[in-house]
């Protein structure tokens, strides 16, 4: 099968490319090699057709789609961003890029899509309070400044975080989250219009070898690793008790190939997580050596959510996929694994 991997030179895209090649696929990579993401031009395995181009460029997309049967769409601007001045680039890169890609797929007759989405579409995760399952309001600046990090219900009662399913309400709370949901809506509309198959994989916190190391858009695991390499203590925001689901990049790549084999028309979303809950503080402690223990700063980023952890039961059931890399062994590997070349 000939597959197109957009963003195939990136962290997750690169892992997908390697697994697709290993199973015998013919792989086309379309990647713009943005200078704020890629510190150096990556090398590609023999047999890969690499095209340097942007998914917002209709001509580049049309060229990349020739003979393709399946698109694994990973190209996107990721992370919370620097400030709101990043908003136009997020919307253009993620939503416009997806729209141009889908229009190109329609013209080329390509009817199968897997798109990288994110846990951020849920906003705050699922919580249980005295009255049952509830969705708390966004945390206020006053509460965060006072160090009150955990959401409360409208009566001030504490809430217990739970795993979130794909049927939970979607409530994006920052620009990046809004664009990921926008990508999902575009994919669903395309599937309805063309009779195609669109699968959105809502990645939870992906980590592993080859993560970007020094961009403002890198994931928290990479930021901690990079600090240790510089001889600095990892800086943990809030109180370090934020709950997350850390999933290895190889498991995420395998989920993409499992989703590619799904034989159903229309749109379907899946959480892709390990199912193993850990805190940000636990992550920092796993990656920091004894002489560089993490420091809990109490700082926060407005727009961050407190707790978000996945139920991946639907993916296990419908995609015949399961994560295989345990947190402890994955973090041992990641603690010394190479990161991507630094961005200058």
């Amino acid at each position: 099968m000939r597959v197109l991997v957009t963003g195939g030179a990136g962290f997750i895209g690169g892992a997908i490319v390697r697994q697709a090649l290993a199973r015998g696929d013919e792989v086309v990579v379309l990647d713009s090699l943005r200078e704020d993401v890629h510190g150096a031009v990556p090398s590609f395995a023999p047999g890969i057709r690499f095209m340097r181009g942007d998914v917002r460029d209709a001509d580049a997309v049309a060229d990349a789609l020739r003979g393709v049967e399946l698109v694994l769409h990973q190209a996107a601007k990721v992370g919370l961003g620097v400030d709101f001045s990043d908003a136009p680039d997020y919307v253009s890169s993620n939503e416009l890029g997806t729209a141009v890609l889908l229009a190109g797929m329609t013209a080329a007759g390509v009817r199968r899509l897997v798109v990288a989405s994110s846990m951020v579409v849920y906003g705050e995760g699922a919580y249980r309070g005295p009255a049952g399952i509830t969705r708390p309001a966004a945390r206020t600046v006053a509460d965060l400044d006072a160090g009150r990090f955990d959401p409360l219900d409208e009566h001030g009662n504490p809430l217990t975080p739970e795993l979130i399913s794909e049927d939970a309400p979607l409530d994006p709370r920052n620009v990046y989250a809004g664009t990921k949901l926008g990508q999902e809506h575009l994919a669903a509309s395309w599937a309805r219009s063309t009779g195609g198959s669109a699968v959105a994989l809502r990645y939870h916190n992906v980590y592993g070898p080859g993560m970007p190391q020094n961009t403002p858009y890198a994931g928290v695991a990479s930021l901690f690793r990079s600090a240790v390499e510089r001889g600095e203590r990892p800086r943990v925001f809030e109180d370090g008790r934020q709950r997350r689901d850390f999933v290895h990049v190889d498991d995420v790549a395998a989920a993409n190939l499992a989703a590619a084999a799904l034989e159903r028309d229309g749109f379907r979303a899946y959480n892709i997580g390990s199912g193993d809950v850990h805190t940000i503080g636990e992550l920092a402690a796993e990656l920091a050596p004894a002489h560089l223990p993490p420091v809990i700063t109490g700082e926060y980023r407005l727009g961050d959510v407190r707790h978000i952890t996945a139920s991946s039961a639907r993916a296990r059931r419908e995609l015949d996929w399961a994560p295989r890399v345990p947190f402890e062994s994955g973090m041992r590997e990641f603690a010394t694994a190479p990161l991507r070349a630094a961005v200058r």
Side-chain angles (χ1 to χ4, degrees):
M1 178 188 299
R2 177 179 288 186
V3 303
L4 170 62
V5 183
T6 70
F11 167 49
I12 298 173
I16 294 170
V17 167
R18 290 189 292 273
Q19 291 193 18
L21 283 176
R23 76 172 190 177
D25 288 333
E26 183 180 352
V27 179
V28 180
V29 169
L30 179 66
D31 199 300
S32 65
L33 300 182
R34 287 178 60 132
E35 292 183 357
D36 59 349
V37 175
H38 296 273
V41 176
S43 58
F44 294 94
I48 292 177
R49 182 189 177 206
F50 171 67
M51 302 176 59
R52 184 166 186 170
D54 197 303
V55 290
R56 292 169 290 189
D57 182 338
D59 291 336
V61 166
D63 193 11
L65 285 169
R66 290 195 178 97
V68 164
E69 301 169 65
L70 164 72
V71 175
L72 300 164
H73 182 33
Q74 310 298 308
K77 183 180 178 78
V78 301
L80 189 58
V82 176
D83 54 39
F84 203 83
S85 64
D86 273 340
D89 194 22
Y90 273 107
V91 173
S92 177
S93 299
N94 298 354
E95 297 191 69
L96 176 60
T98 299
V100 172
L101 174 67
L102 292 171
M105 291 174 63
T106 302
V110 182
R111 293 292 182 265
R112 297 172 63 192
L113 171 73
V114 179
V115 60
S117 187
S118 171
M119 65 178 186
V120 296
V121 300
Y122 297 114
E124 277 293 347
Y127 291 81
R128 184 175 294 277
I133 296 296
T134 185
R135 301 299 301 276
R139 298 182 295 171
T140 67
V141 170
D143 281 342
L144 293 169
D145 282 344
R148 295 187 292 268
F149 300 120
D150 283 306
L152 304 173
D153 70 12
E154 64 271 23
H155 304 297
N157 297 310
L159 300 170
T160 301
E162 297 199 343
L163 301 183
I164 199 162
S165 75
E166 293 86 352
D167 295 326
L170 304 181
D171 183 21
R173 296 191 176 186
N174 57 58
V175 171
Y176 170 59
T179 65
K180 297 311 284 185
L181 183 54
Q183 286 183 294
E184 289 197 18
H185 287 324
L186 286 165
S189 179
W190 169 84
R192 286 192 299 270
S193 174
T194 64
S197 170
V199 177
L201 301 182
R202 293 172 179 163
Y203 302 158
H204 285 247
N205 289 75
V206 187
Y207 74 95
M211 284 191 83
Q213 59 176 296
N214 70 330
T215 83
Y217 313 105
V220 65
S222 175
L223 296 176
F224 290 166
R225 257 293 313 275
S226 298
V228 171
E229 287 196 355
R230 295 191 301 268
E232 302 170 2
R233 297 170 65 184
R235 295 177 59 82
V236 180
F237 280 14
E238 301 186 16
D239 57 5
R241 296 175 186 168
Q242 309 94 304
R243 292 159 52 98
R244 295 292 187 270
D245 184 322
F246 299 98
V247 58
H248 195 277
V249 67
D250 288 344
D251 287 332
V252 171
N256 273 267
L257 298 188
L262 188 66
E263 295 185 0
R264 60 176 293 166
D265 295 338
F267 176 83
R268 189 74 163 159
Y270 297 91
N271 288 334
I272 301 300
S274 70
D276 190 10
V277 177
H278 291 274
T279 68
I280 297 292
E282 289 170 343
L283 168 70
E286 286 284 339
L287 295 175
H291 68 286
L292 292 172
V295 55
I296 307 298
T297 68
E299 299 174 74
Y300 64 86
R301 297 190 306 177
L302 196 62
D304 270 346
V305 297
R306 178 61 173 172
H307 303 298
I308 177 71
T309 52
S311 166
S312 297
R314 178 187 288 182
R316 291 172 182 262
R317 184 175 64 251
E318 297 184 9
L319 302 181
D320 192 26
W321 168 86
R324 300 187 181 279
V325 182
F327 178 81
E328 290 76 13
S329 60
M331 287 299 166
R332 281 196 300 271
E333 171 207 37
F334 181 59
T336 57
L339 299 176
R340 299 180 69 81
V343 175
R344 296 181 179 179

